[in-house]
Amino acid sequence: MIRVLIVEDEILIAEAHRTYVDRVAGFEVAGVAHTGRDAMRAAANAAAAGTPIDLVLMDIGLPDISGLDVAAAFTGTRPSPDVIAITSARDLAMVRSAVAHGVVLYLLKPFTFSAFRDKLDRYVEYRKALTAGETAVSQRDIDRAMGVLRSPEERSASPKGVAPQTLDEIARAVRDSADGLGAAEVGLAVGVSRVTAWRYLEKLADDSIVERQTEYGRAGRPQVRYIWKAASGS
């Protein structure tokens, strides 16, 4: 479960956020804070107790401290939580400031449950793309993780014929297989044709994300398996 701290000075809005979180599988509300100081205290206490906060839903306009300053202060907590800024501020200067203070996503008030769930779904994909404990993180890993945080419209600028979601699913299938996979196996796992799987696997290989390994059987053509490069020791 992803542990969530809700930081919102309006009690009714905070409860609405709690209700929304409760409706999204895989998330649980670990606490609610109505001021910036309470938020920092709650995050520090949770970390000290061994039950750290994973994600903070941060109202920017808090009564005591700017939510962005609170987000920046979280970098001193270990492990530090991720922050989704929730605000009615629409000016670009505020957005830039949020990014500079470590905010991973930005949600504008008022919003629907659908918009809220979309942000949490993207956050889950972000966490999966940068799985804790991996032995190596490549530039491709980082780019993919940051890419899932962008809106579908932003992600549509991918190379022609390459669907980012399909590429991510195929990469994840190979990464999760200790012995690697062939194109047919990937196609079955992801739900695409063998030819489509092969095309995406070849792109991953060309980008040095996976490694090709040729297997020679007793009869027939050689079979190519694709192995996650971190697993192959490369």
Side-chain angles (χ1 to χ4, degrees):
M1 297 291 285
I2 295 174
R3 292 170 52 80
V4 179
L5 174 64
I6 297 170
V7 184
E8 168 61 58
D9 63 314
E10 295 286 344
I11 295 176
L12 291 180
I13 296 177
E15 285 304 307
H17 292 174
R18 178 195 288 273
T19 300
Y20 275 5
V21 172
D22 288 341
R23 292 174 61 185
V24 182
F27 291 82
E28 64 177 0
V29 176
V32 177
H34 300 299
T35 68
R37 290 183 177 84
D38 285 346
M40 290 187 285
R41 189 178 302 113
N45 290 342
T51 54
I53 301 297
D54 300 303
L55 176 65
V56 178
L57 303 181
M58 177 68 70
D59 178 27
I60 300 301
L62 296 172
D64 57 342
I65 308 173
S66 165
L68 295 184
D69 290 337
V70 178
F74 283 149
T75 59
T77 303
R78 292 291 181 270
S80 59
D82 294 314
V83 177
I84 295 179
I86 299 180
T87 178
S88 56
R90 298 170 182 267
D91 57 290
L92 290 178
M94 179 64 76
V95 176
R96 293 191 188 98
S97 182
V99 173
H101 284 76
V103 170
V104 295
L105 285 167
Y106 197 91
L107 182 59
L108 285 172
K109 296 178 181 178
F111 51 83
T112 63
F113 172 68
S114 177
F116 181 87
R117 182 174 57 190
D118 175 69
K119 288 290 188 288
L120 294 194
D121 286 344
R122 275 194 259 161
Y123 176 69
V124 169
E125 291 303 312
Y126 167 73
R127 285 172 61 95
K128 287 179 180 178
L130 287 181
T131 305
E134 285 190 2
T135 57
V137 177
S138 68
Q139 182 65 52
R140 176 68 184 178
D141 293 326
I142 296 170
D143 291 343
R144 186 169 63 250
M146 300 308 294
V148 299
L149 294 175
R150 299 197 300 268
S151 67
E153 291 78 10
E154 293 172 307
R155 282 180 274 170
S156 64
S158 299
K160 184 176 180 181
V162 176
Q165 182 176 351
T166 303
L167 188 66
D168 289 346
E169 290 176 357
I170 287 176
R172 191 176 302 118
V174 177
R175 185 183 65 190
D176 292 344
S177 174
D179 300 322
L181 296 170
E185 295 170 306
V186 169
L188 287 173
V190 176
V192 298
S193 70
R194 183 189 64 80
V195 173
T196 297
W198 171 81
R199 182 163 56 87
Y200 279 86
L201 287 165
E202 284 295 302
K203 174 172 176 50
L204 290 170
D206 290 341
D207 290 343
S208 298
I209 306 303
V210 302
E211 184 178 87
R212 302 177 183 91
Q213 184 178 86
T214 303
E215 296 180 343
Y216 295 91
R218 294 181 179 178
R221 294 178 299 177
Q223 299 296 312
V224 177
R225 298 184 72 78
Y226 298 84
I227 300 173
W228 193 254
K229 292 204 74 171
S232 66
S234 300

